[in-house]
Amino acid sequence: MGAGSACSFILGVIFMSRDIELIVKEAREIALPIVESEGMELVDVEFRTERGSWVLRFYIDREGGVTVDDCATISEQLSVVLDVKNLIPHQYNLEVSSPGLDRPLVNEKDFNRNIGREIRIRTKEPLSGRRNFKGKLIAVINGAVIIEEDGKYHQIKIDNINKARLVIEI
């Protein structure tokens, strides 16, 4: 592969990543009023390939958890709106599910709700040469989380968090 081919490949990956981010952003905007009108919370949205197929996945929750019927109701409503908007120009699978016990932490509200719990964080940009952290969530201050890991405290800006989840020990 020549230098030009490598550049084309890298640009293709960058544009694809931007496309995915745009689809997730627009899907979130479409889903939010639907989910909230049913008395639920939109926890997260993912658009990714799995086993060779594209999947648009919405995670929903409510106090006391969601049922299969809740997921079906939201899925039916989203399916209609997404078809009309033609947000994704190719085939994909639509999934609506509970975030599970190890639910993702996406915004300040999620982190505040889980102070005192153990979490796992992967950052977008390295901090002190690291991108992976696991520790007790101590506080949320000025758009950053403070976690305690092995007696050391780390302050991580929420904007720099790529993924954060609760740690569930079984």
Side-chain angles (χ1 to χ4, degrees):
M1 177 184 326
S5 298
C7 288
S8 296
F9 173 76
I10 291 169
L11 285 175
V13 171
I14 291 170
F15 287 129
M16 184 61 143
S17 177
R18 285 186 187 155
D19 292 342
I20 290 170
E21 289 175 17
L22 182 61
I23 287 170
V24 167
K25 180 180 181 279
E26 290 181 21
R28 183 183 311 279
E29 290 171 2
I30 290 167
L32 193 59
I34 293 169
V35 172
E36 288 180 346
S37 74
E38 295 290 336
M40 293 178 245
E41 171 190 2
L42 180 62
V43 175
D44 202 7
V45 179
E46 295 177 339
F47 184 57
R48 55 194 286 178
T49 57
E50 292 180 0
R51 296 180 291 284
S53 299
W54 283 97
V55 177
L56 179 60
R57 185 174 294 122
F58 296 86
Y59 293 99
I60 60 172
D61 206 0
R62 77 164 77 209
E63 193 70 36
V66 294
T67 66
V68 172
D69 288 340
D70 292 332
C71 292
T73 297
I74 298 300
S75 179
E76 289 168 10
Q77 292 180 45
L78 283 173
S79 180
V80 170
V81 176
L82 290 168
D83 284 349
V84 168
K85 297 268 186 187
N86 197 25
L87 177 63
I88 303 168
H90 54 75
Q91 276 195 313
Y92 66 95
N93 295 312
L94 173 63
E95 293 183 9
V96 178
S97 70
S98 160
L101 294 175
D102 64 339
R103 71 176 283 157
L105 306 175
V106 179
N107 55 44
E108 220 169 293
K109 183 172 115 179
D110 293 336
F111 288 102
N112 274 315
R113 185 175 26 216
N114 290 285
I115 289 176
R117 310 250 336 248
E118 188 159 353
I119 64 172
R120 184 180 318 270
I121 294 175
R122 178 162 177 81
T123 62
K124 295 174 185 172
E125 299 295 325
L127 296 172
S128 304
R130 298 174 51 193
R131 293 183 62 193
N132 295 302
F133 299 84
K134 178 182 171 186
K136 183 177 181 182
L137 178 57
I138 302 298
V140 181
I141 302 170
N142 298 325
V145 298
I146 311 290
I147 66 168
E148 185 271 324
E149 178 184 46
D150 299 326
K152 296 179 184 166
Y153 293 87
H154 303 281
Q155 180 174 339
I156 304 169
K157 292 221 171 271
I158 293 173
D159 290 347
N160 189 30
I161 295 175
N162 187 39
K163 280 192 174 197
R165 289 192 170 274
L166 293 175
V167 173
I168 304 300
E169 304 286 336
I170 298 177

